[in-house]
Amino acid sequence: MKNMCKIISIHNVSKNINGKDVLNNIDLEIYKKGISVITGHNGAGKSTLLKIIAGISHPDSGKITYPEKNYLSNSSFIFQKPIFLNRTVKDNLLFALNSQEEQLEKKELLTNEFLRKLEILHLYETPAKKLSSGEQQLIAFIRAIITKPSLLFLDEPTSNLDYKNEKLINDILLDISRDIKIIITCQSDKQIKLFTDKPIFMQNGMII
């Protein structure tokens, strides 16, 4: 089936950071269907593996292949600590849409739609760097998904959110996962069970 095709193959990937073996001979296949969850204790190597899969970091050894060659080029990544332009929420969101051909009015309607869904439309003209860590995480989430990527990477995206906003994010992820492949790191047992029945467990830089 098309939605079960392999989109990422990882073979014998290792990574050493500051003299520490963070990843050790990782072998992993990631398929197009559903949400792939990488979990494990703090320091297990989850974030490092996610960044390598996304092409943000590079392994010291091993190989990563993408059978669908253009898949990675249309991707978005949400970091644990988002980075913003020194501008308003509006400007940060519109900047993410600069490469799209829609008129400014359509782009503003799109950003407003997602801000309204997460009940934070009142932050539209607020400088992004003055937001709380939870608010920044919500804006980073919107910024990543409004471009309609085919592949979405999330590094513990709800770690700074309260229950209400975590549920909003989870509901949106489940909804868009029908059209977008999602790879996420998290430690919440409840969140893991919500997204998948086959999580990828890591321990000491290895998949167990």
Side-chain angles (χ1 to χ4, degrees):
M1 295 175 61
K2 186 178 180 181
N3 63 355
M4 284 297 291
C5 68
K6 190 186 302 179
I7 61 168
I8 302 169
S9 295
I10 302 162
H11 301 290
N12 297 322
V13 163
S14 295
K15 180 74 173 180
N16 184 288
I17 299 177
N18 297 324
K20 179 183 177 181
D21 291 328
V22 180
L23 298 178
N24 295 288
N25 297 319
I26 297 290
D27 283 297
L28 181 65
E29 308 286 358
I30 294 178
Y31 294 85
K32 196 170 189 176
K33 183 179 179 182
I35 300 175
S36 295
V37 178
I38 304 172
T39 189
H41 59 78
N42 288 335
K46 303 184 300 297
S47 296
T48 300
L49 178 58
L50 190 71
K51 290 174 183 175
I52 286 177
I53 295 172
I56 293 172
S57 181
H58 300 285
D60 295 328
S61 60
K63 183 180 180 181
I64 301 178
T65 56
Y66 306 88
E68 296 189 23
K69 296 185 182 301
N70 296 323
Y71 214 72
L72 190 61
S73 62
N74 183 28
S75 64
S76 291
F77 194 107
I78 302 177
F79 294 89
Q80 288 187 44
K81 295 182 179 180
I83 300 171
F84 292 100
L85 300 173
N86 192 25
R87 302 178 191 175
T88 64
V89 166
K90 171 184 176 180
D91 291 333
N92 273 272
L93 295 179
L94 291 178
F95 182 82
L97 291 168
N98 274 348
S99 62
Q100 298 192 1
E101 296 180 359
E102 288 89 345
Q103 295 178 348
L104 178 61
E105 183 179 352
K106 289 185 178 179
K107 293 178 181 179
E108 289 184 336
L109 286 173
L110 181 60
T111 58
N112 286 348
E113 176 189 345
F114 279 102
L115 288 166
R116 198 172 288 111
K117 278 184 181 179
L118 295 176
E119 301 177 10
I120 51 174
L121 184 58
H122 61 284
L123 300 177
Y124 198 47
E125 298 290 349
T126 305
K129 292 187 177 181
K130 289 189 176 181
L131 301 176
S132 69
S133 58
E135 290 169 340
Q136 287 187 348
Q137 202 71 6
L138 291 175
I139 299 303
F141 178 76
I142 294 172
R143 183 177 60 182
I145 64 175
I146 57 175
T147 58
K148 299 178 181 178
S150 57
L151 183 56
L152 179 63
F153 298 94
L154 305 100
D155 193 5
E156 302 201 33
T158 60
S159 58
N160 293 319
L161 302 181
D162 58 21
Y163 172 80
K164 174 186 173 183
N165 286 320
E166 180 179 335
K167 185 178 184 307
L168 284 171
I169 294 295
N170 288 342
D171 288 345
I172 292 174
L173 288 175
L174 286 171
D175 182 46
I176 66 175
S177 67
R178 290 175 292 188
D179 302 307
I180 299 173
K181 174 61 186 181
I182 296 172
I183 305 175
I184 181 173
T185 66
C186 72
Q187 297 187 66
S188 164
D189 289 339
K190 184 177 179 181
Q191 199 171 32
I192 294 168
K193 290 176 182 177
L194 181 67
F195 292 149
T196 183
D197 58 356
K198 294 181 180 179
I200 301 161
F201 287 100
M202 292 193 69
Q203 181 176 329
N204 299 324
M206 296 179 287
I207 293 176
I208 58 174

